[in-house]
Amino acid sequence: MVTTDPREASCATTKLLLTYVRAQGGDGAVARVIEQSGVEYTVADLEDTSRWISHDSRLRLFSAATAVVGHDQVMTEVGAAAMRSDVRSVIVPMLRASGSSREAYRRLPAVIQHLTSVSVLRVVTSSPGAATLEMQREHEHSRLDCDYAQGLLSAVPTLWGLAPATVTHTTGPGENGEVCRFEVAWIDSVRPSTPRRRRRSEADLVALRAQMHELQVAAADLVASQDVPTVLDRIVHHAAMVTDAQAYLLVIDDVDGTGRAVRSTGLTEEREAHLAQVLLSDEPLGDDAVVVDVASSRRVHGRLVALYSTGDGQRRRSRELLEAYAHHAASALDLLTALEESRREERRAADLLALAHDLAVATDSVAVAQVLAEALPQIVGCRGSTVMQWEAALGSFRVVAAAGLEEAARDVVLSTTFRADQIPEIVGILTHHGPLLVDIRTASPVLQQVLRASGSQSVVVVPLLAGDELMGVVTAGFSGFLDGTGQHHEALARIAGMSDQGATALQNARLLATVRHQSQHDALTGLPNRLLFARLLDEGLRGASGEASTAVLFCDLDRFKHINDALGHAAGDELLRQVSARLRGELRPGDVVGRLGGDEFAILLTDIDDERQPFAVAMRLVDALDEPFRIDGREVRITASVGVAIHSGTDGRGDKLLAASDSAMYIAKQSGRNQVAISGEALARRIVPSLEAELSKAAGAGELRLHFQPVVDVSGTDDLTVVGAEALLRWHHPRLGLLAPGAFLPLAEEAGLVTDLDLWALDAACKQLAGWPATSDRPLHVAVNLASASLVDPRLVPAVRAALTTYGLLPSRLHLELVESRSLIDLPGVIERMDELRQLGVRISLDDFGTGYSTLAWLQALPVDQIKIDRSFIMQLPKHGASLAVVRGVLALARELGIEVIAEGVEEPEQLAMLREIGCELVQGFLLGRPAPELDQSRPVVGG
């Protein structure tokens, strides 16, 4: 059995106790002892001499045995029996090997360690025929414990056929609390008679058999260890179970690839270090040491030393047992190192899978480098790692990510420039594109400095290659020298595999960054395009403080068409590039310049504290563009008209601000070009209601809520089962109270906020779903409504994937509901996006089916898993024949196409009865449950 008892008392004592009780009253008496003691052990547990229990459990057994047997001298007799029993009988040969009662009492403190870890016995005085011993305990003094010790002490002379010793027991204060003092006296015999010698020989034989058993128990305990450090501790601890030396030293040459290990008992730290050094130098330890190899058929792990007092003859009789024990220890190390290697391989396999996942979701090259650097120590087992990027223009490597390094070492690595003209090793990598092992003893000065700072003796460097292109390198530092070792080849193979994954991910991240940049920037000038500029404008307005102003300058080149016609489009393109550079040169670093198309540019100015400032900037731009340009060796002049629109506060609309500046620009052109016009009152606060600004901050302010309306399976004869719910968005407005979607979703769509709301609802619904308990074999699902704009937003798929991963949900438990509309089918990329979501395992539902725009062809055109019949048909049931025919037709068609159907808006029992009659299995409506903050999963009550 498994218990939480500390290892304080050996079950050798409890076996002795139960043997005594059994002799007095049979197995029934043993059972009563265990029952009365209240310990959670079986008889087999308490007679297993390799097991240890708590000191408290032992005392409870002592007390119960005294009560069951029925006299006060039970524990004294149990202690005396230890010298006549083979229970933990290594005590007998250890004491008998001392040759005399006096020497036995001197050895007894070391022997007691095999019976208890919370009591320390010390010999105060020793003389022929008498000895004084003191026992210090960690726990409170117990009379029964003292009786047991008294019996044990009295029986020592009987090992030589002598009369038991007389033991006088007293208690008194000691250095660390109360101590027990035992005054022992005995009478030595000159020479034992022949019968006594025969009994001694028989006792020796029994003791020898017990000592071999003790060796087997120690070996079993070693093999039962859970890890290598534990087995090393137990090797030196259990050595005293087979021999009786004063101290033990264990030196293992290499522990699981992590370096040398030293363990000892009975030695100070200084003595341990000195003897280990002598042993490693192959110098003799002296005649008082027995040194054996810890060796198996597979390998020699190290050496075990038993240290005896000067002139102790016991060492001559200990070598064979110590050698046998060391062989068992080596076998245990073989097993544990193999197990550790298996565990490491399992962890590395998991780490490799995690690495592949993390690399796949990394969004840019820096994130890829950081993932790679952090994974290297776990997978390769190195001390520290870096990922460096090759900058061909500078001819150097730059560290972009590091892991496993202390702060000082990290600072050194990040501040070092690894230049090819200063580090010869880099030239080899650039030339051969192959791995490299750098040794601190032979490295170039710059690398030596870095290795010394990081505490590494060797570094494996592997290039990151995309075809023949060198993108960078990964490095793994080790505290030892790897040259010519198996660890070098293993590390190289692992790092090479990781570098291949990293190079692919890095290349993909760069391609993605390029595509993302191209989709948001003008290819000719590199400026933000209209899409990115509009987004930055909206963000600037939302982030504006209450008192600051935001301005847009709309700049249009005058008569640019004449340049194209006269000089050609190549010259026109070059002029646009120079115009963009000149505009950037006239603005602050935080200002934004975008090319909206053709010869139109827009400038965003934020954090304006003086409304005259935008006009001054616009005039400066007009003057700057009035200066001549140089194109193909000729001087070209052009002018520009600029419109300025200003908005103060946080509740502005970017599209309206841009339109106002555009209108002002046309006023400037109509006024004669080459000048600035300012928009008038068009941007006053009254244009945009403050509700929009409040809505933009609702999610961040914690004002959004979800209510859940159950979806019920009515296919059973009697039972109605909740199988999921639709998540319905609510806004808890601080002034207006709880608002339904109809009060704010139209405004959200107009203001471009609807996708942000949908993504919030998606995450919140998945979080809530993860907390719903399973009530049947069919897992609950949650349906989340999406606007058409949200469906094609590039943030949707990553958000879905992140929510499923974060909350550990099966994708099939998430339903995304889309309202059927002509705009849905007309949006570019809709079908592809729906297919992409379905490939994740998410189910697609078409809401409000049958209203306005739908045709039967939609069910073939759109990849959907479910349709929801609009409430306008359900509310007419059961009396309206046309509605009933439509519902029957939709059910039949959906059944043929394998599409699930939900009838929504069920509010009357008659409607539910008709739907069940015509085979509709899933329904939703007020009759079965109203929207509520928490989903009621109990069996629905019709009308409840």
Side-chain angles (χ1 to χ4, degrees):
M1 67 177 295
V2 178
T3 71
T4 58
D5 262 7
R7 290 171 58 93
E8 294 178 338
S10 168
C11 282
T13 302
T14 58
K15 180 176 181 180
L16 185 66
L17 177 70
L18 297 185
T19 301
Y20 174 86
V21 172
R22 188 178 288 110
Q24 300 297 317
D27 289 336
V30 171
R32 290 196 301 276
V33 168
I34 295 177
E35 180 182 1
Q36 290 185 26
S37 68
V39 298
E40 298 180 355
Y41 294 98
T42 64
V43 174
D45 292 332
L46 296 174
E47 291 186 337
D48 180 0
T49 57
S50 67
R51 181 183 295 277
W52 287 62
I53 61 175
S54 70
H55 180 74
D56 178 67
S57 295
R58 185 174 80 158
L59 289 183
R60 283 192 281 161
L61 288 165
F62 282 3
S63 178
T66 301
V68 169
V69 175
H71 65 81
D72 293 339
Q73 296 303 311
V74 168
M75 293 316 305
T76 303
E77 294 179 3
V78 171
M83 298 304 167
R84 302 190 302 270
S85 171
D86 62 352
V87 177
R88 198 67 173 185
S89 55
V90 71
I91 296 173
V92 176
M94 283 183 178
L95 295 180
R96 285 184 58 80
S98 61
S100 68
S101 298
R102 180 183 180 186
E103 188 61 28
Y105 281 114
R106 291 175 60 186
R107 290 183 180 276
L108 199 55
V111 174
I112 289 295
Q113 296 178 8
H114 303 300
L115 302 178
T116 176
S117 64
V118 294
S119 298
V120 178
L121 186 66
R122 183 174 69 92
V123 178
V124 179
T125 63
S126 175
S127 62
T132 301
L133 300 95
E134 285 186 351
M135 180 173 286
Q136 178 81 49
R137 295 183 177 90
E138 294 182 8
H139 295 278
E140 185 178 351
H141 174 266
S142 166
R143 180 186 63 81
L144 296 177
D145 211 10
C146 293
D147 289 348
Y148 173 72
Q150 190 169 345
L152 184 66
L153 293 172
S154 69
V156 169
T158 64
L159 294 174
W160 291 273
L162 305 177
T166 301
V167 181
T168 303
H169 169 242
T170 59
T171 60
E175 294 181 2
N176 299 310
E178 191 175 42
V179 299
C180 291
R181 178 181 290 265
F182 299 95
E183 302 288 346
V184 185
W186 68 93
I187 300 175
D188 281 320
S189 177
V190 177
R191 182 174 181 84
S193 63
T194 299
R196 286 184 177 179
R197 288 199 299 268
R198 184 180 300 113
R199 287 196 299 271
R200 286 177 54 181
S201 299
E202 292 173 353
D204 286 343
L205 182 60
V206 171
L208 181 59
R209 284 199 299 266
Q211 197 166 11
M212 296 305 298
H213 171 70
E214 202 64 38
L215 177 62
Q216 295 170 354
V217 170
D221 200 24
L222 294 180
V223 174
S225 303
Q226 295 299 311
D227 52 55
V228 173
T230 300
V231 80
L232 295 181
D233 292 334
R234 290 185 178 180
I235 287 173
V236 293
H237 176 74
H238 291 328
M241 296 171 65
V242 293
T243 64
D244 184 25
Q246 295 295 313
Y248 298 90
L249 174 68
L250 175 69
V251 178
I252 301 299
D253 297 329
D254 182 53
V255 182
D256 207 18
T258 60
R260 183 176 296 115
V262 178
R263 298 288 194 280
S264 70
T265 59
L267 297 175
T268 64
E269 291 185 6
E270 295 77 9
R271 179 73 171 156
E272 174 191 286
H274 170 71
L275 292 176
Q277 185 61 41
V278 173
L279 189 64
L280 291 170
S281 303
D282 291 326
E283 298 178 14
L285 292 177
D287 294 337
D288 297 325
V290 175
V291 182
V292 297
D293 286 334
V294 180
S296 66
S297 57
R298 293 181 55 194
R299 60 174 291 190
V300 177
H301 292 275
R303 281 175 284 184
L304 177 63
V305 181
L307 299 164
Y308 295 88
S309 59
T310 302
D312 192 341
Q314 174 70 6
R315 62 183 180 278
R316 294 189 296 272
R317 298 185 291 271
S318 300
R319 177 174 291 278
E320 292 184 0
L321 280 175
L322 198 62
E323 286 178 342
Y325 175 70
H327 179 74
H328 286 299
S331 299
L333 281 172
D334 285 345
L335 177 63
L336 265 296
T337 51
L339 181 60
E340 285 293 320
E341 180 61 26
S342 174
R343 290 170 178 167
R344 275 199 307 272
E345 289 300 324
E346 184 178 351
R347 288 193 297 267
R348 284 170 177 166
D351 289 338
L352 283 171
L353 289 175
L355 172 64
H357 173 268
D358 292 342
L359 289 175
V361 300
T363 56
D364 53 51
S365 58
V366 174
V368 168
Q370 193 60 45
V371 166
L372 200 55
E374 291 176 354
L376 275 165
Q378 283 79 20
I379 297 176
V380 180
C382 58
R383 179 187 182 93
S385 61
T386 66
V387 177
M388 303 185 189
Q389 179 179 313
W390 172 244
E391 297 180 336
L394 302 176
S396 63
F397 284 103
R398 178 175 61 88
V399 177
V400 292
L405 300 177
E406 296 181 357
E407 185 175 355
R410 183 183 180 89
D411 291 341
V412 171
V413 170
L414 293 177
S415 62
T416 302
T417 301
F418 297 87
R419 296 174 55 87
D421 57 355
Q422 296 177 350
I423 304 175
E425 291 88 347
I426 293 180
V427 178
I429 294 177
L430 297 176
T431 304
H432 304 292
H433 284 185
L436 176 68
L437 175 63
V438 179
D439 190 312
I440 194 172
R441 297 169 296 188
T442 57
S444 57
V446 174
L447 292 185
Q448 277 187 343
Q449 179 184 357
V450 174
L451 290 175
R452 195 174 295 111
S454 65
S456 298
Q457 303 293 330
S458 301
V459 171
V460 178
V461 184
V462 177
L464 293 167
L465 299 171
D468 292 331
E469 179 190 358
L470 177 67
M471 295 185 292
V473 295
V474 294
T475 73
F478 296 84
S479 56
F481 297 109
L482 299 186
D483 192 19
T485 66
Q487 189 181 7
H488 172 212
H489 301 294
E490 180 182 357
L492 189 60
R494 293 183 186 277
I495 300 172
M498 294 179 65
S499 70
D500 290 341
Q501 291 188 60
T504 301
L506 198 58
Q507 187 179 28
N508 291 340
R510 289 184 177 182
L511 291 174
L512 180 62
T514 300
V515 171
R516 186 184 295 116
H517 185 273
Q518 291 176 347
S519 68
Q520 298 179 344
H521 291 79
D522 174 49
L524 180 64
T525 63
L527 297 176
N529 59 17
R530 180 182 288 272
L531 179 66
L532 179 56
F533 184 86
R535 196 186 81 196
L536 295 174
L537 175 56
D538 289 336
E539 292 175 357
L541 287 168
R542 291 172 188 167
S545 62
E547 298 178 356
S549 298
T550 303
V552 172
L553 282 58
F554 199 110
C555 177
D556 185 89
L557 303 183
D558 298 328
R559 299 185 176 89
F560 177 73
K561 184 177 182 299
H562 296 169
I563 302 294
N564 276 335
D565 293 342
L567 304 179
H569 288 282
D573 290 346
E574 177 59 25
L575 177 61
L576 291 174
R577 281 191 287 266
Q578 293 189 26
V579 167
S580 67
R582 196 169 290 185
L583 291 174
R584 279 195 296 254
E586 296 295 328
L587 300 171
R588 301 172 300 179
D591 296 333
V592 179
V593 183
R595 184 186 177 206
L596 306 184
D599 59 352
E600 295 178 342
F601 295 85
I603 295 92
L604 170 62
L605 306 178
T606 57
D607 296 327
I608 300 170
D609 52 11
D610 185 349
E611 292 194 356
R612 294 172 295 181
Q613 181 183 350
F615 178 77
V617 172
M619 290 299 301
R620 191 166 69 244
L621 295 179
V622 169
D623 293 342
L625 295 178
D626 195 35
E627 296 294 324
F629 294 87
R630 194 100 183 148
I631 299 176
D632 292 337
R634 69 177 68 183
E635 190 176 275
V636 176
R637 302 186 70 95
I638 197 168
T639 61
S641 300
V642 179
V644 178
I646 306 172
H647 175 78
S648 298
T650 60
D651 54 352
R653 284 277 298 276
D655 54 347
K656 294 186 177 297
L657 190 60
L658 186 61
S661 65
D662 188 12
S663 299
M665 181 272 296
Y666 277 106
I667 295 175
K669 281 189 177 293
Q670 293 169 2
S671 301
R673 297 184 175 86
N674 195 29
Q675 56 185 290
V676 176
I678 300 178
S679 176
E681 297 298 323
L683 295 176
R685 291 179 183 271
R686 53 178 164 68
I687 293 179
V688 181
S690 61
L691 191 65
E692 178 185 330
E694 293 174 314
L695 181 58
S696 68
K697 300 176 181 177
E703 297 171 358
L704 298 182
R705 304 284 188 272
L706 283 182
H707 284 199
F708 297 92
Q709 185 174 32
V711 175
V712 181
D713 185 346
V714 298
S715 59
T717 305
D718 297 313
D719 292 338
L720 304 179
T721 305
V722 175
V723 296
E726 180 180 0
L728 301 170
L729 189 62
R730 301 288 189 268
W731 179 14
H732 193 275
H733 193 278
R735 292 182 290 102
L736 305 177
L738 193 66
L739 300 181
F744 60 91
L745 284 184
L747 176 62
E749 291 181 349
E750 180 184 357
L753 300 172
V754 69
T755 300
D756 292 334
L757 300 183
D758 285 349
L759 295 180
W760 179 91
L762 170 69
D763 183 81
C766 288
K767 181 178 181 180
Q768 191 81 358
L769 176 61
W772 290 346
T775 58
S776 65
D777 294 335
R778 182 174 183 177
L780 295 174
H781 72 265
V782 69
V784 180
N785 292 281
L786 293 182
S788 301
S790 301
L791 180 63
V792 296
D793 193 286
R795 296 173 291 172
L796 176 63
V797 173
V800 169
R801 187 182 292 111
L804 294 175
T805 302
T806 300
Y807 302 114
L809 299 175
L810 292 174
S812 59
R813 298 182 66 190
L814 176 61
H815 295 192
L816 299 180
E817 291 190 9
L818 309 171
V819 177
E820 58 140 334
S821 64
R822 174 55 58 189
S823 62
L824 177 65
I825 199 68
D826 289 343
L827 278 173
V830 163
I831 295 179
E832 291 79 8
R833 179 56 54 82
M834 293 170 72
D835 280 331
E836 187 177 3
L837 290 167
R838 293 185 75 200
Q839 288 173 8
L840 292 178
V842 175
R843 293 171 62 83
I844 304 297
S845 178
L846 194 61
D847 200 7
D848 297 344
F849 184 78
T851 59
Y853 300 94
S854 62
T855 68
L856 296 180
W858 275 47
L859 296 182
Q860 291 180 315
L862 293 177
V864 298
D865 304 285
Q866 184 186 82
I867 56 176
K868 301 184 75 171
I869 303 176
D870 186 72
R871 67 183 65 249
S872 61
F873 296 100
I874 305 303
M875 63 185 300
Q876 302 290 336
L877 298 181
K879 298 179 181 180
H880 194 268
S883 295
L884 179 59
V886 170
V887 174
R888 285 183 186 272
V890 171
L891 287 170
L893 180 61
R895 193 175 296 114
E896 289 295 321
L897 295 176
I899 298 175
E900 199 174 57
V901 177
I902 297 178
E904 57 181 354
V906 179
E907 299 181 1
E908 302 292 338
E910 293 80 8
Q911 297 169 355
L912 176 61
M914 177 57 68
L915 289 168
R916 298 180 76 174
E917 180 181 335
I918 62 178
C920 183
E921 297 180 353
L922 299 176
V923 299
Q924 178 182 346
F926 286 176
L927 179 67
L928 299 163
R930 293 177 177 272
E934 298 291 337
L935 176 65
D936 184 2
Q937 300 179 44
S938 61
R939 177 180 175 182
V941 178
V942 174

